[in-house]
Structures are given as structure tokens and as C-alpha cells.
Amino acid sequence: MNNAITWFEIPTPHIARAQAFYEAVLGRSMRREVMGPQSELAVFAYEPGAGVGGALMTGTAAAQPSGQGTVVYLDASPSLDAALERVVAHGGKIALPRQALPPGMGFFAHIHDLDGNRVGLHAPQCTNLERTNHGNQGTAPW
């Protein structure tokens, strides 16, 4: 595997609530797993062997939720703006609004989830609706 990251975990004391939040924000189902006698995971969809995997994690082996430290970026395709709207609608907060990356790299934002974790959302391109709504002004990546 040629990825610098192979796995990540986002800690939560409330696995069902966190899973419902991320499924709503990303528009993708997650799979529940048990890891050892004291930990439970909600695994983000990924292609084993071809991509980076990760999960929400609760239990004695889980870290404490935090808004400080490493930021993991989740795929918000096809629309970062729609994902940010779902963050707010489901009780999360926008920590950093949509920002442009260098040409061809897309755009990103940071959120605080229901447990206070700071998480990045990234989309490699914008949708036609986002182009129409935001035009070619300011920090728009197109």
C-alpha cells in the first residue's frame, strides 16, 4: 500500500449517536464491529487494500474526544456545501468554513462533531450548483 495513512479512529463515548451523525453528514452507511471485549467500532465505508479505512471508536481502548490535535479529513463528495448543511442540521458545528486548496486539489472545511472532535471534510471538485451559487469569486476553487 502506498498511502501514508492506513487507518484512523475518531473517538466517541456515544457510538450510536456518532454513527447516526456521520451517516447523515456523509450520506453513507457505516458497519458496526466489536473489537476485543471492551471496544466497539462503526466503520466508515472503504475498499480494503485500495484505500484508507477508519472508524468511530468507543470503549476502554478509545482516546478521549478532542478539538485539538490531528485532523482527519473525510470525503464529502459529491458536495461539500451539502455536507456542511447536514452537519448543522444534525447538531454539529462548522469550525472553519469552506476553503479553496491549490488548483486541482478541491476544497475543504473543518467541523466539530457531536462529541467535540475537530474533523475535516474534503471534496476534490465542486458541483454545478455550487458553481452557480458561489460564482468565481473569493476563495472558490473553480
Side-chain angles (χ1 to χ4, degrees):
M1 191 177 272
N2 293 324
N3 298 317
I5 306 286
T6 59
W7 185 259
F8 65 88
E9 293 166 347
I10 299 173
T12 179
H14 310 285
I15 193 87
R17 181 182 77 167
Q19 180 177 351
F21 174 79
Y22 281 101
E23 286 179 337
V25 167
L26 300 175
R28 297 179 193 102
S29 296
M30 300 174 76
R31 159 181 109 249
R32 286 294 262 287
E33 300 283 344
V34 174
M35 186 176 77
Q38 306 272 332
S39 297
E40 190 173 356
L41 305 174
V43 181
F44 291 95
Y46 75 104
E47 191 174 325
V52 175
L56 301 172
M57 183 177 183
T58 192
T60 58
Q64 293 297 309
S66 174
Q68 305 296 314
T70 303
V71 177
V72 173
Y73 286 82
L74 302 175
D75 181 12
S77 296
S79 172
L80 178 58
D81 287 350
L84 291 172
E85 288 174 9
R86 291 189 299 267
V87 165
V88 173
H90 291 275
K93 295 183 177 152
I94 297 173
L96 178 69
R98 182 167 59 110
Q99 304 289 308
L101 291 165
M105 294 179 68
F107 49 108
F108 73 97
H110 288 182
I111 66 163
H112 285 288
D113 70 12
L114 302 178
D115 296 309
N117 292 303
R118 188 177 186 112
V119 176
L121 299 178
H122 172 261
Q125 59 188 348
C126 64
T127 66
N128 288 333
L129 179 60
E130 288 166 340
R131 278 190 197 96
T132 301
N133 288 343
H134 297 288
N136 290 324
Q137 308 167 24
T139 62
W142 44 88

